[in-house]
């Protein structure tokens, strides 16, 4: 099975990290191909970034279709281009916010999201609403570390860990959801520190796609947008 | 006052029609500049189209900022790029689905959307949910006329009118919302025929932007995405 | 175009202020007729007041119909009598809470309402729920200045401004909605002070009615209450 | 215990019927005083009627307070003036739509409302939403018999019974809620005929008020409208 | 009329207290039979306890059917086994959380629940959501007194009273709902102390069942689970 | 990795089928132990059945803890005992309705459930509401084949397939969710026949548990029920 994990930004060190975290949870027979678009924003921290990275995601999916990829992960917590990607391939496509929020709901009644910068929190709420988790999402918290400083700021691990601890306590949440693909390698550390389950979306989305492919499930090719007659 | 009405597709005859409908409802002192991106999809009928037209919308907004535009309309019923556009300018930006749905709620308890092709109905429901109108939106109906045939199909007017009549009756809706910018010129005709208010989003968005500018209201430049602590 | 702006209380100085604020945003061809009922409560600060002012509103609409009014504003933040008024005329009728909340949602994800006395906050929440904005309304805050002291209390402006600042910060709201027609003249001052958009319902409702009339839209005369078969 | 059952219309034969139905379910020690306002609409079939009957309801509550009434029923399915009435007395006040919908939810997952004329169905949906029963309310159906013909139309009983049967079957509802005080005496008959529980609001509201008074519960006099900080 | 009040735990002193509180609000002609299962958990403080007490509840209902009981109260705030109980008898069955929350909504816009230990708060939220009161339930607060210490802890009354006062003030709630059958005898005391209505579920459920039986209403025997075609 | 798949009924042929379907999608290193309680209902077709099977589920989990099981599937579409099971072990526990509904939402906007007998449809709606999928669940349909006849009725496969086809078409759903563990082996056949993705909950829950265990995620042992301060 070939799963393409698309990091929609063009920062290759982050793509490498994402690939590593995806491989750590995939089955023996699964090949993980972690890629970035050839061009696009270096990080996704605004709605403009989200919009501008979609053509790069579609480009990678087109490549994946040629390679015979079985499914796709969109490895940015804003889940950019998810609807478009599902039209571009019948293989399952899963976003990391989507997968992480879903996984969190299996572990307790409520979760809190801890994300990078404050301007991305609105998007996280929008996604929780869209996926049906307005009730389960108890809070979205920024630790105010820009995406590209996650790797370089020596205090990043401590700051994020403390933000997670505070979020869980303030919101009374059972679970923490990490709000950026760039935090994927911190999961186990934070979980040990705060004593509550911590979900990383890269791992969650990778295993979700792997499961859907194993079950033979594909996005309905005839069915991207049916009529709901009545709400 | 200068309002740029951005038709996100590149079909200029539709842009001309949209400009005309916008001008018909604007105040004497308002200049309407109806534009299309220099490149992009000829019509917006899928999530891929919606994604790919956003860079063109942002390009037109960048031009508008140089021209001193006061506000913007996104004249496609999928409201593509709305979040990104609001980051690109502090002048108000309003989508035509958004404006039409808002307008409809002032006229009665429930509205029905009549749109072009079936594959766009899912997006209309998503937008109704996002704007808070899941309860007010009673149905989304496709008349299965592709966007670009709205101008050329000699039966289009009749087919759409009958779809509106059926939608109002089936859903028990007070108001019909036209689900495509290309239907803007049919509003008055359909309203007369079916005896219920019919809302065109191009007119609704144009007057909404004009009103917001008149009141001195702008998208908060510091505020695209604040934390909502608890839902 | 003739728009009647009905202040449902009988305090004429407030009616004068409301008329002024409505005229400041209306188009050249629009005549604003700001009126009060001949009898009724001096201010609307309870559900009893809201109930008792409705016959006065209907009296003014009956007069308006004789004068050939094109549309109506109900200039009290409780939006009293809105359903009844829409039965009494086919011209559009818009309440100031309704219009202000709608306007606020075009400018950001969330708004806070700052109102006069604590006992009116429940009504503001009810209205947010009714209009579909339970998610967008992040908080309703009272500054505990009675309606009739808005004009006379020398500290009113400062107190309200600080309440708005606190509300925006506590709720993480993008926009402030002023919760009383008597605050209409403070909008620009507060906006400058707190650096976020501030919406006044009198202006919002006036421009909304003007827009609906311009588009030829009327409340469906046959359609005040259709069946919604299924929620 | 003295419970005033206020029929907000001025049709005394209906008041008599309502009093009878209330007495049939009240405890031995409870006195039912069924009254109508001295003036007001003969029937409540529109939002204007609902608005205009409130001063009459308040008049009757004021009288009740002098008489030492312990609680009040508002015996019109639109629950007019409920908020105002709760400010006018600290004794519990319950509307018949409110009480009937509450009662229905104890008997099954979903209920259908069968009401008089189509123009009142919108109000029934609004009330279901307000009381929290949007999910439980599966349908609102009109049998198109005007309120005042309930007593005189010889076919009324049959028409309403068949409307109830159809509603239960179409909506898959466990329970039927009768949508007009004037149908109170038909409850047992319809229940026998259709084989599902049928709830009459006059009985439901009377027993609810009686229960609240027995438990010593009163509307909080200091608490008609507190701040809900966040939704 | 015979109402069986089933305390699902096996602590007989609590059953005695519950019986007393039920009798205090029942009508002269109503016989209250307060019972406990022959075996099961001594207190219900977890989901495991809730699950394990259901067969005892069903055993008591089977006995009740032989005795000719007319209706049943489930006297534990988790409302365990409610769906199953409604299948086991056509007499009405009401849970104390359900009845208390319903009662609270007649007395104001919002209520707060004050319960025993923190681990039961999640269940209280689940029930509020299920019954339609997500909006009306403003907070669920634990006073961290285990169920069986309610009778023995000399400070229990003071601690619970202060928790209620704090909850009302923090949440801006009109009404307090006591979150455990073992608190039933504290209602009047707390209400006097904090000056807001306090609802005890044992009393509320007893009067609710009594009212439903008086009205001749039964759980639809053919109707425990019909299809809702569309949400 | 050891996953216990608990069939809560005592029909061993069904347990064997469930085990087979779980094994078909599990990874090479995963051991599936499909079990049934030693006593309990032969099939789960009512709320009473759901209640009475929980002690058997807890018994199997207790055994699993001794065996060192890593996670658990509850293989009945009513997801009985889910909350209790999550208290009995810190290994992840997933219900098949829960997992199937989650999986379906990755494949399209809306799904329909096709279940056995009509009396179980109410439970399916309750679960959709609980998991956040009220909007995504477009319909719940019974094919009126009792659980234990799924194996013996020669027409079962045809009847269920046609019910799925009809459900997808009526509801405009992208995906079908099979509403009974006993239908697990029909998935691929129905999918081929109707041309839309069909989700089996046994497979979905098995892969979900496997993924959660792989990611090191456990139900928070300290966190089954925290306070949500405000909805």
């Amino acid at each position: 099975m070939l799963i393409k994990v698309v990091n929609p930004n063009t920062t290759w060190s982050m793509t490498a990290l994402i690939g590593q975290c995806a491989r750590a949870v995939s089955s023996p027979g699964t090949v993980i191909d972690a890629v970035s678009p050839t061009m696009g924003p270096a990080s996704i921290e605004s709605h403009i970034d989200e919009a501008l990275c979609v053509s790069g995601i579609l480009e990678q999916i087109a490549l994946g279709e040629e390679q015979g990829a079985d499914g796709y992960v969109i490895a940015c917590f804003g889940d950019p281009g998810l609807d478009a990607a599902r039209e571009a391939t019948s293989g399952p496509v899963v976003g990391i916010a989507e997968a992480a929020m879903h996984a969190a709901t299996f572990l307790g009644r409520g979760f809190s999201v801890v994300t990078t910068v404050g301007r991305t929190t609105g998007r996280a709420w929008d996604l929780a609403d869209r996926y049906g988790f307005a009730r389960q999402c108890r809070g979205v918290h920024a630790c105010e570390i820009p995406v590209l400083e996650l790797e370089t700021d020596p205090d990043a691990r401590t700051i994020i860990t403390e933000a997670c601890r505070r979020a869980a306590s303030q919101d009374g949440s059972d679970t923490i959801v990490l709000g950026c693909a760039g935090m994927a390698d911190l999961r186990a550390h934070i979980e040990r520190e705060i004593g509550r389950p911590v979900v990383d979306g890269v791992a969650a989305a990778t295993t979700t796609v792997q499961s859907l492919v194993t079950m033979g499930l594909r996005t309905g090719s005839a069915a991207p947008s049916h009529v709901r007659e009545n709400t």
Side-chain angles (χ1 to χ4, degrees), chain A:
Chain A
M1 186 190 313
L2 172 61
I3 298 177
K4 286 200 81 162
V5 179
V6 184
N7 171 17
N9 75 33
T10 51
T11 299
W12 285 88
S13 53
M14 193 180 290
T15 311
L17 167 71
I18 287 169
Q20 223 171 291
C21 292
R23 264 169 229 116
V25 295
S26 60
S27 286
T30 302
V31 176
I32 299 295
D33 188 19
V35 297
S36 280
T38 47
M39 52 181 296
S43 70
I44 318 278
E45 290 172 297
S46 69
H47 295 304
I48 293 178
D49 294 339
E50 282 160 17
L52 295 185
C53 73
V54 178
S55 62
I57 294 172
L58 295 176
E59 163 210 290
Q60 290 303 314
I61 289 177
L63 274 172
E65 296 296 280
E66 286 173 26
Q67 295 169 281
D70 294 288
Y72 300 86
V73 168
I74 298 180
C76 167
F77 202 79
D79 289 355
L82 192 54
D83 285 326
R86 284 183 179 151
E87 285 178 342
T89 170
S90 65
V93 184
V94 174
I96 66 169
E98 187 185 29
M101 291 181 185
H102 275 264
T105 67
F106 292 113
L107 306 170
R109 278 194 176 82
F111 62 82
S112 298
V113 176
V114 174
T115 183
T116 53
V117 291
R119 64 191 326 215
T120 69
T121 57
R123 176 73 178 174
W125 277 115
D126 287 356
L127 294 176
D129 284 338
R130 170 178 167 171
Y131 300 139
F133 302 137
R135 199 171 58 211
Q136 289 91 334
C137 184
R138 304 271 164 91
V140 178
H141 305 263
C143 59
E144 296 305 348
I145 301 178
V147 173
L148 297 182
E149 294 179 19
L150 289 173
E151 297 178 53
T152 56
D153 183 337
D155 299 330
R157 199 169 83 158
T158 308
I159 291 171
I160 297 168
T161 302
E162 292 319 306
C164 290
R165 194 191 308 276
R166 215 163 40 238
S169 147
Q170 260 179 38
D171 300 343
S173 288
D174 301 300
T175 310
I176 294 294
V177 166
L178 297 178
C180 180
M183 298 175 178
D185 56 336
L186 302 178
R187 197 202 73 75
H189 171 77
I190 299 173
E191 188 170 279
R192 266 195 314 275
E193 284 292 316
I194 70 170
R196 301 210 189 169
V198 175
V199 182
D200 156 47
V202 174
T206 301
T207 57
T208 299
V209 169
Q210 187 178 260
S211 296
L212 294 170
V213 171
T214 300
M215 291 188 278
L217 291 168
R218 309 174 73 74
T219 304
S221 66
S225 49
H226 279 85
V227 177
R228 180 173 63 163
E229 282 298 317
N230 206 320
T231 194

